[in-house]
Amino acid sequence: PTTAGWKPSGPISLIVCQGPGGGFDAWGRVIGMALTKYVGVPVVIKNVPGLGGATGVETIWRSKPDGQTIVIFEGGAMLATQYLLGVSFDVHRLTFIGNVNNGPFAIFVSNTSPYNSLQDFVSAGRTKTLLGGTTGLASGLWQSMAIFAKEARIDVRPVPGYQSGGAMLVGLGAGDFDAMFIPPQAALAMIKRGSVKALAVAGTARDPRIPDTPTFAEAGFPQTGIFATVMRTLAAPPSTPPHITAFLEKAFLSAMGDLKFLESLRVNSPKLASFLAVSDTP
């Protein structure tokens, strides 16, 4: 459908389903700045944390389908939440704009933890209940922990209440719980300071920034290696008209292909650039 004749009537609200300071917040702000150029109005970040991201999705579910509100959320985690926990929204009925990136999680413990390997952690979990940090049971961070706990046959109980992955990292350093899942990118500063240590990383290969950290598959947990990932997806409310959807899709694709935007990712965060499958050749 043609996009002619429709423009946003004012700033577009971009709902981020986590609180400030985490990976989702960082990506929301990066995408918001890139989109502003192509939608012709400011894209304003609106953090709506709660229930591991489900509160933000509920907000977009109830928003007007007028193109003035969009959301960045965990696509895979919210689909799982819909079937496992029961929610009022239907992810399938959201109006999808595009997939921002996919990336692996890693499991982290504090530098003072007695667990220096994934095997240490699993051995402890076979004799006692361990604690895992989470922004909510709907989050991919917790669902990854649950997948791992099931595969490892250990008991890990959630410690909820955190609004973002950044807040969870602070809780981990404070000793509020034993371990947490988060993308390695989000923990790089604390890794460099020696505040946290990674025990394993998902995906098919080791992360080059933490090359001594084995993959879950190498450690004997292939299912966790496959499913402990994050999918960041951009969507609008259900029943958004096709001409508005086409406008937003075009703006999103233009932003994702903007050479200045991609160069900024290359310079400031090589890992973010690799998530977007950026080529070395324009």
Side-chain angles (χ1 to χ4, degrees):
T2 178
T3 63
W6 185 85
K7 298 289 184 182
S9 61
I12 291 177
S13 295
L14 173 52
I15 295 171
V16 175
C17 294
Q18 303 288 344
F24 256 87
D25 183 58
W27 268 104
R29 294 176 191 280
V30 168
I31 297 302
M33 287 188 291
L35 277 175
T36 293
K37 175 180 176 181
Y38 295 98
V39 296
V41 295
V43 177
V44 181
I45 301 302
K46 182 179 180 181
N47 293 96
V48 184
L51 301 177
T55 301
V57 177
E58 177 68 29
T59 301
I60 197 70
W61 176 256
R62 297 183 181 277
S63 296
K64 293 181 179 179
D66 57 4
Q68 297 298 141
T69 306
I70 56 179
V71 66
I72 181 170
F73 71 105
E74 284 190 271
M78 287 303 107
L79 280 170
T81 294
Q82 183 170 320
Y83 290 107
L84 297 177
L85 300 182
V87 289
S88 61
F89 55 78
D90 182 354
V91 174
H92 298 92
R93 291 176 56 193
L94 294 177
T95 303
F96 288 92
I97 299 169
N99 193 42
V100 178
N101 63 51
N102 300 327
F105 286 129
I107 185 172
F108 287 90
V109 297
S110 74
N111 66 328
T112 58
S113 170
Y115 313 125
N116 295 309
S117 69
L118 194 63
Q119 289 72 22
D120 289 345
F121 188 79
V122 171
S123 295
R126 298 254 171 91
T127 61
K128 64 179 181 179
T129 297
L130 299 172
L131 300 177
T134 175
T135 57
L137 298 183
S139 74
L141 303 176
W142 178 253
Q143 290 181 19
S144 296
M145 179 69 83
I147 289 169
F148 169 60
K150 182 175 181 179
E151 188 174 21
R153 302 189 305 279
I154 61 176
D155 185 20
V156 184
R157 300 292 176 85
V159 178
Y162 300 93
Q163 293 194 349
S164 69
M168 285 173 58
L169 283 167
V170 174
L172 180 66
D176 294 346
F177 47 85
D178 296 297
M180 61 178 283
F181 275 73
I182 201 168
Q185 177 70 31
L188 282 183
M190 295 187 72
I191 292 172
K192 292 179 180 178
R193 290 198 300 267
S195 302
V196 300
K197 49 190 176 184
L199 302 184
V201 63
T204 58
R206 295 190 180 197
D207 190 306
R209 296 160 305 177
I210 46 174
D212 295 331
T213 302
T215 65
F216 281 98
E218 288 177 304
F221 303 99
Q223 294 300 310
T224 305
I226 294 172
F227 293 110
T229 60
V230 58
M231 176 194 295
R232 296 185 177 96
T233 303
L234 207 67
S239 303
T240 298
H243 66 287
I244 296 178
T245 303
F247 176 90
L248 295 172
E249 287 178 345
K250 182 179 179 180
F252 173 74
L253 291 173
S254 296
M256 292 298 94
D258 186 288
L259 293 181
K260 289 185 178 180
F261 169 63
L262 298 178
E263 182 60 25
S264 174
L265 293 185
R266 285 193 185 96
V267 171
N268 297 309
S269 179
K271 191 63 175 179
L272 293 185
S274 70
F275 281 168
L276 288 173
V278 178
S279 170
D280 290 334
T281 304

